[in-house]
Amino acid sequence: MKIDLSKQNVLVTGASRGIGREIALQLSKCGAKVAIHYHQSENAIHRLAAEMNSRTTILKADLSQPLEVITLVIDAINKMKGLDVVVNNAAIATFSPLKKDDLDWFEEWTDTMMVNLNAVALICKKTVEYFSGQKGGGRIINIASRAAFRGDTEDYLAYAASKGGMVSLTKSLARAYGKHNIKSFLIAPGFVKTDMAFDFIKKYGEKHVVDDLALSEITQPKDLAPLVCFIASGMMDHATGTTIDVNAGSYLH
């Protein structure tokens, strides 16, 4: 089966590394016009763009700032002359033990919520507004986490809670806007070997992670990218609202 996305305009948040980077690469290989978002990793995003097709657009935004989030969506639409798919991948996972000072802990909680959930909600709002005016509608693909269903360690409460909110958001959008030809999907990775996972591996060790899996190796970003391309193609539209687990058998629900 060949997936042809040459008529698709896609926005990928958090594309400079890890899962987002691999998703953007695979979308590009399938012919999509892709807007790749980053915040600070300018060198990394330009290296990625050099590996992608000539229809790639680079967009910078701080997802902790609501106005920049709104502008990101508007710029993606304007610069690509349309938008068909948004992939909400960007996230932060801050090591934040409960023994921290109350206000310091709460600041990290609110920072996590802003990037992982509030920014996603704003992006979804803007894209739904746009998709509703388009005959072809559109697709929203939200990258959540196994933690949304299984929970996480005591040091990553905010991360798990933010991803749990993303689950309800995705399902609600699917139910509310299906007849507007807007489809919404959730991908829930387990532990994925990325830069963002470094602190967890450093604290708990790689063996601790692998022992929790049904498979013998940690999931890689490349294991998720083909699924995003398949959803973007429209061949999974009747699975709108669904959650696809990619967690190496570490949590089955």
Side-chain angles (χ1 to χ4, degrees), residues 51-231:
E51 296 179 47
M52 296 173 64
N53 66 42
S54 59
R55 306 189 325 142
T56 301
T57 299
I58 297 173
L59 297 174
K60 181 179 181 180
D62 180 352
L63 298 188
S64 69
Q65 303 300 314
L67 286 178
E68 293 195 32
V69 175
I70 294 167
T71 301
L72 171 65
V73 179
I74 294 171
D75 284 349
I77 293 168
N78 290 339
K79 292 186 177 182
M80 291 193 294
K81 295 180 172 57
L83 185 64
D84 303 291
V85 181
V86 61
V87 182
N88 283 304
N89 164 75
I92 58 174
T94 303
F95 175 75
S96 187
L98 279 174
K99 64 183 179 183
K100 275 193 171 184
D101 172 79
D102 291 346
L103 293 181
D104 290 342
W105 182 88
F106 188 66
E107 182 177 1
E108 291 175 343
W109 173 278
T110 54
D111 288 346
T112 300
M113 290 297 168
M114 184 59 224
V115 174
N116 294 7
L117 183 57
N118 295 352
V120 171
L122 262 178
I123 291 170
C124 287
K125 178 183 184 297
K126 296 304 294 180
T127 52
V128 164
E129 288 173 354
Y130 177 77
F131 291 158
S132 295
Q134 304 302 306
K135 184 178 179 181
R139 299 177 184 87
I140 297 169
I141 304 171
N142 290 332
I143 310 298
S145 171
R146 173 189 69 183
F149 303 95
R150 195 185 78 160
D152 213 318
T153 69
E154 66 275 14
D155 301 320
Y156 292 92
L157 296 178
Y159 178 78
S162 68
K163 294 299 186 177
M166 186 185 281
V167 174
S168 296
L169 171 64
T170 306
K171 291 178 180 295
S172 297
L173 290 171
R175 287 177 55 81
Y177 293 100
K179 286 187 171 60
H180 294 265
N181 207 16
I182 299 170
K183 283 73 63 174
S184 182
F185 305 85
L186 193 86
I187 297 176
F191 200 93
V192 181
K193 198 166 187 179
T194 63
D195 291 344
M196 194 172 77
F198 176 78
D199 287 343
F200 189 96
I201 292 176
K202 184 177 179 181
K203 178 175 174 61
Y204 294 99
E206 189 164 330
K207 183 178 184 300
H208 172 82
V209 177
V210 174
D211 286 348
D212 193 41
L213 309 178
L215 301 183
S216 58
E217 59 185 17
I218 299 174
T219 303
Q220 301 286 337
K222 66 181 181 179
D223 297 317
L224 286 94
L227 178 57
V228 173
C229 294
F230 188 55
I231 295 172

Side-chain angles (χ1 to χ4, degrees), residues 2-55:
K2 176 177 171 56
I3 296 177
D4 180 6
L5 300 178
S6 58
K7 295 182 180 179
Q8 301 283 351
N9 294 346
V10 186
L11 168 62
V12 180
T13 68
S16 64
R17 60 179 184 165
I19 294 171
R21 187 182 200 280
E22 193 64 31
I23 287 171
L25 274 174
Q26 290 300 318
L27 287 166
S28 178
K29 288 178 181 178
C30 290
K33 183 189 295 184
V34 187
I36 47 176
H37 155 262
Y38 78 105
H39 176 209
Q40 295 176 319
S41 305
E42 186 169 357
N43 290 337
I45 205 73
H46 282 283
R47 286 195 298 270
L48 170 60
E51 296 179 47
M52 296 173 64
N53 66 42
S54 59
R55 306 189 325 142

